[in-house]
Each structure stands twice: as C-alpha cells, then as structure tokens.
Amino acid sequence: MSGKGWYRGADVNRLSEEEAGIIAARLVRRVQAKTALAKDKAEGLQNAVADSLRKDLTGESAGQSQKQTRIEEVAREYLDQDQIKVLSQAIEKGVRPLPNEN
C-alpha cells in the first residue's frame, strides 16, 4: 500500500504514458526541423515512438535491445534511411528539452 503523498502503480504508469507522449512529440519535432515529413507520417511516427517509450517506461518491453534501436525499428515504417539518421541524432541529444525547445 502507498502512504499519503505517494503515487500508486496505476498512477505511475499513467504518468509514464503521458511522459512517453511528450518525449515522442519532442523527438518528432526535432526530426521535422531537419527533414520534410508529411503530417500523416509525423502523426504515425509520434504514436509508434510513444508506444515504444510507454512500453519501456512501464516495464512492458520484452526485448533486450537498446531503447534507441527499438525506436529506430518502429520508425522504419514512417521514415527513409536518411530520416532515420536524423532521428538517431535527435535521440542522441537526449529526451529532455534543449534550451530552444518546450
């Protein structure tokens, strides 16, 4: 049982899901800043990346591969090889906002 002021497991998972969406949106914006990406592809990419991150953050991820590799794998459906490189560079900058980002 959780004491006062502590989040329960379901609440932590909900917050992790929300954070996954925020991080995915940030990564997609970084990709869009460097390469043309159609709106439908950007939305699909964002959903796929958010789902991958959600699985990592909530412990649902079954694979042992690195997070960056898993994100790149799901992104291949939406990005060409050059855009995958741009995504890799975006991931290498970290998940926290950069000085010019929200």
Side-chain angles (χ1 to χ4, degrees):
M1 279 199 276
S2 295
K4 282 189 171 188
W6 289 92
Y7 288 105
R8 298 193 183 280
D11 294 327
V12 171
N13 284 347
R14 185 186 53 74
L15 289 170
S16 294
E17 290 172 3
E18 186 177 327
E19 187 64 17
I22 291 167
I23 293 168
R26 184 173 298 129
L27 292 174
V28 170
R29 283 193 303 270
R30 289 178 186 172
V31 171
Q32 288 176 307
K34 302 265 183 187
T35 185
L37 192 59
K39 183 178 178 180
D40 61 327
K41 287 201 178 232
E43 289 172 357
L45 175 63
Q46 185 171 329
N47 290 333
V49 170
D51 187 54
S52 179
L53 290 169
R54 177 191 58 78
K55 288 176 182 175
D56 283 338
L57 294 173
T58 60
E60 292 179 39
S61 183
Q64 295 296 320
S65 62
Q66 291 183 326
K67 186 184 316 183
Q68 181 169 348
T69 303
R70 282 193 302 274
I71 291 172
E72 290 172 2
E73 287 172 4
V74 299
R76 290 188 192 291
E77 182 177 339
Y78 305 96
L79 303 176
D80 64 29
Q81 193 58 39
D82 290 335
Q83 291 170 321
I84 293 289
K85 290 177 187 173
V86 172
L87 175 62
S88 295
Q89 293 167 351
I91 294 169
E92 288 170 3
K93 292 179 181 178
V95 296
R96 294 180 184 240
L98 298 174
N100 60 343
E101 295 178 328
N102 299 352

